[in-house]
Amino acid sequence: MKLLNSIKYMALCLLIGVSAGGCSDDENVGDAPRLFRPIVSLDNKTNNVVATWDNIKGATDYELELFKVIGEDADKKPVLESYRQASTASSPYTFADLEWDEKYVVKIKAIGTGIASETYETDAISINYPTKLIDVRTIDVAALISWKTDGTPITYIKIVPDNGGDTVEEEVSAIDFSNGQITIYGLQPSTAYKAYAYSGEEQTSNTYEGRITVKTAAGEDFDALYGPGKYLDLRAYEYPDTLKSAEIKAVMDATEGLAIILKGGFSYKVNNTIKLNKSVAFVTGLSLEGNAIFVQSGGLQSNTGAVIENITFKKIDFISDIALTTPISATTDAGFGGRQVYNVNGTTSVVNNMLFQDCSIQGYRAIVRMQAANEGVRNLTFEGCTLNGIGNQGAVTTTNLAAYLEHVTFSNSTITNTVMLFDARVTNSGSLNIDIKDCTFCYAPMEATSNGTPLFRLGATATTLTVTNTVFGPSMKTLSAAGGTYQPGPTGAITLVGTATTLGVTNSYKTNFPWTTVGTTTYPLDGLESLDVDETGLFNAPTEDNYTIKYNFAGAKTAGAKKWRMQ
């Protein structure tokens, strides 16, 4: 027992000795290997970023680096670009006057004497400006940007591609600013951009007015649509006489089936010096400013003796030079100045197919005029068109001569302020088919106390007239018995004059106007169902060219041009 106690006592002494030796002043474990990391919080004040942290014991300096977030990698992590560096002895630190509408990240480390901390990286913080830019619409090569027109005027727009490429810049005039929008060209198809607005002479954060995201549409593949070498893109040529030039004429004469691509919203001067020899299509390309515009002082024509398979007008707005200066509502000439859109004009030319698609036509005495027995347009179609102000030759006329005219279609179209639609008393085709479907008529035809003009002036040619899903408002009221001048207004109507016409009417209606009596005879369009209201009761605002149906009847949702039907 004494021996066991002695052993325990010796072991305890050895343990105390070793412990005492381990704490000798002659040895040192050393200082800490690094400083603690500063944990930073970020706050945005206007376009400044304030970084705040707890100061670290032993730190004499803090190194900060500000990064701009320029994208994301495949793992959705931010891609950073070094933007600014700074150092400071203590918290906080402000990065001032930064770019608006960007995201930023701060990296920081503490620095001591011969020692430093690991780097701390913050989450991204956004600097957002309450932008004046409110909307953007795009096509393949352009953007229409709109803004609020209050406050400081925008004077400059800069459009920057997200992934590199050319920046497009545009000055904004005082008129542009008051209009609240501008169209900027020079962009690339299928490309993401950001548009930045500025006020003042310099583009800085102090003149910044906000940004908006822009994504252009895919370009039209004209090779696929028309064939390689079969189109001529004129959208970059802002010259009113382009279509009358010898160079364009030469290409049209040399190329069968040529498509001519035109700039939307631009006015092209057109007259009878343009004589067509081969199939051609005039088409507005992708546009932010509506259809291309043909301002006509004379009608397009065919070359003498030409046989042309197809002539197409797609998304073209036709306006006569007379209507350009005198509004339709102010016109008192029943011929609307005497112009035609296309005048075969005794050239012995035959066009087999002519198409007007999504076109507006206003201020003409006739649209298509044929003037001899050995010429004409065999098949003529108006699809999705608006006719406003067509005169006393008729939208389609054979001029009481035996011209070729076999089939005419008006589809999904609006016809208003029109003296006469057809003058096809004589044709050289033996028979004529006229299809009217999904159309809205109002203030057509012109009527007078005598010598009234019918809407359909048909004669001895065997004609089949089919009217489907169509609505008729009243005719126009003339100011003279001879019908030389007129004003829009409700009166009767002379609709159909034709001794060899077979008529078929389905789901079609008229307002409560009477059929005009000439002598003791009326000329109705039999089969129309009469409504109990006039045009102001049927349409929203007919005198303002708004023919939206507001009166509920059996055909309210199925008759008339489709854009006007009750929803």
Side-chain angles (χ1 to χ4, degrees):
M1 189 66 175
K2 288 182 179 180
L3 178 61
L4 181 58
N5 289 335
S6 299
I7 292 172
K8 289 181 179 179
Y9 177 76
M10 292 172 62
L12 179 60
C13 290
L14 288 171
L15 181 60
I16 293 171
V18 170
S19 299
C23 296
S24 171
D25 291 337
D26 295 331
E27 295 184 24
N28 197 316
V29 297
D31 295 327
R34 62 179 64 89
L35 298 174
F36 289 111
R37 290 189 305 168
I39 307 300
V40 175
S41 63
L42 300 180
D43 188 21
N44 56 353
K45 299 181 185 298
T46 62
N47 62 328
N48 303 325
V49 167
V50 180
T52 306
W53 62 93
D54 290 333
N55 291 319
I56 304 299
K57 184 178 180 180
T60 58
D61 195 15
Y62 298 89
E63 293 181 353
L64 300 96
E65 187 167 7
L66 181 70
F67 294 83
K68 185 162 67 173
V69 178
I70 60 173
E72 289 183 340
D73 63 17
D75 296 324
K76 301 296 183 181
K77 294 181 179 179
V79 176
L80 305 180
E81 178 181 78
S82 182
Y83 188 76
R84 194 178 297 173
Q85 295 179 339
S87 64
T88 183
S90 63
S91 174
Y93 184 83
T94 298
F95 291 97
D97 196 25
L98 303 181
E99 295 178 59
W100 288 101
D101 290 315
E102 300 289 355
K103 292 182 178 180
Y104 297 93
V105 167
V106 172
K107 294 183 180 182
I108 185 173
K109 65 179 179 180
I111 306 295
T113 303
I115 196 170
S117 72
E118 291 184 345
T119 299
Y120 178 81
E121 180 179 327
T122 68
D123 293 332
I125 187 171
S126 297
I127 304 295
N128 297 320
Y129 188 87
T131 181
K132 279 187 177 178
L133 304 179
I134 57 177
D135 190 35
V136 61
R137 293 192 293 118
T138 64
I139 55 172
D140 52 344
V141 296
L144 175 63
I145 298 171
S146 57
W147 52 74
K148 302 172 186 176
T149 56
D150 55 346
T152 306
I154 292 171
T155 59
Y156 203 82
I157 298 286
K158 180 166 63 176
I159 302 181
V160 181
D162 287 357
N163 298 312
D166 294 334
T167 295
V168 178
E169 303 181 27
E170 188 86 12
E171 291 186 0
V172 178
S173 69
I175 294 175
D176 290 332
F177 178 73
S178 64
N179 289 336
Q181 63 182 33
I182 191 171
T183 301
I184 299 177
Y185 285 85
L187 308 182
Q188 297 299 313
S190 301
T191 303
Y193 295 85
K194 289 183 179 63
Y196 301 87
Y198 299 89
S199 59
E201 295 183 1
E202 297 183 355
Q203 291 78 59
T204 69
S205 60
N206 293 327
T207 62
Y208 185 69
E209 297 293 345
R211 80 173 187 189
I212 197 167
T213 298
V214 176
K215 180 67 165 67
T216 52
E220 292 178 294
D221 188 344
F222 296 132
D223 283 343
L225 288 170
Y226 306 111
K230 290 285 207 173
Y231 61 88
L232 195 59
D233 190 351
L234 300 181
R235 289 179 295 173
Y237 298 90
E238 295 188 358
Y239 178 54
D241 291 320
T242 295
L243 296 177
K244 296 190 292 182
S245 68
E247 294 83 357
I248 301 303
K249 174 65 174 171
V251 177
M252 287 194 288
D253 285 345
T255 310
E256 170 67 22
L258 180 70
I260 298 179
I261 314 303
L262 302 170
K263 182 178 179 180
F266 187 74
S267 294
Y268 297 86
K269 292 182 179 180
V270 176
N271 60 21
N272 55 10
T273 64
I274 301 176
K275 300 182 186 296
L276 304 182
N277 193 48
K278 296 181 182 294
S279 294
V280 63
F282 296 92
V283 181
T284 299
L286 288 175
S287 172
L288 294 167
E289 299 173 284
N291 294 345
I293 303 164
F294 281 11
V295 179
Q296 291 190 260
S297 57
L300 293 162
Q301 294 184 359
S302 305
N303 276 335
T304 299
V307 177
I308 302 173
E309 186 63 25
N310 297 295
I311 296 176
T312 298
F313 303 99
K314 185 176 181 181
K315 296 184 178 180
I316 306 295
D317 287 350
F318 297 87
I319 185 168
S320 69
D321 56 343
I322 306 299
L324 193 65
T325 57
T326 305
I328 299 301
S329 60
T331 301
T332 57
D333 176 12
F336 289 94
R339 309 290 188 231
Q340 295 91 24
V341 172
Y342 201 94
N343 190 354
V344 183
N345 197 31
T347 59
T348 68
S349 168
V350 176
V351 179
N352 285 327
N353 301 284
M354 184 177 288
L355 170 64
F356 293 84
Q357 184 177 21
D358 298 326
C359 295
S360 167
I361 307 169
Q362 59 175 319
Y364 291 86
R365 193 177 186 190
I367 297 176
V368 177
R369 187 184 188 200
M370 295 150 274
Q371 294 183 247
N374 54 356
E375 66 186 29
V377 178
R378 294 186 183 277
N379 299 289
L380 176 60
T381 300
F382 296 85
E383 181 181 308
C385 294
T386 297
L387 280 59
N388 184 9
I390 307 301
N392 56 5
Q393 285 182 339
V396 181
T397 178
T398 60
T399 322
N400 200 23
L401 298 167
Y404 294 111
L405 182 65
E406 299 173 5
H407 199 145
V408 181
T409 298
F410 278 86
S411 174
N412 192 28
S413 294
T414 303
I415 297 93
T416 184
N417 298 329
T418 293
V419 176
M420 182 164 56
L421 193 66
F422 283 95
D423 182 0
R425 287 168 285 171
V426 181
T427 72
N428 199 23
S429 305
S431 63
L432 171 63
N433 289 285
I434 301 173
D435 290 327
I436 310 293
K437 55 186 179 182
D438 302 315
C439 288
T440 295
F441 288 78
C442 194
Y443 305 133
M446 181 185 76
E447 294 298 324
T449 54
S450 64
N451 192 31
T453 304
L455 189 64
F456 300 94
R457 192 178 188 185
L458 309 174
T461 297
T463 301
T464 299
L465 173 59
T466 303
V467 180
T468 307
N469 303 336
T470 293
V471 175
F472 292 83
S475 65
M476 294 187 292
K477 179 182 178 182
T478 63
L479 299 178
S480 71
T485 57
Y486 79 94
Q487 64 181 4
T491 183
I494 301 173
T495 305
L496 174 60
V497 175
T499 59
T501 300
T502 301
L503 177 63
V505 177
T506 303
N507 190 42
S508 295
Y509 305 84
K510 62 180 276 296
T511 57
N512 61 358
F513 62 84
W515 300 113
T516 300
T517 300
V518 180
T520 60
T521 305
T522 58
Y523 299 89
L525 193 64
D526 289 328
L528 296 181
E529 297 185 44
S530 186
L531 303 175
D532 295 331
V533 293
D534 64 12
E535 78 277 17
T536 61
L538 176 61
F539 303 124
N540 268 354
T543 58
E544 299 173 13
D545 298 325
N546 181 345
Y547 303 104
T548 302
I549 292 173
K550 65 180 181 180
Y551 177 72
N552 196 5
F553 63 99
K557 297 183 179 181
T558 59
K562 293 178 182 178
K563 68 179 180 179
W564 303 124
R565 292 178 183 177
M566 182 179 286
Q567 300 301 311

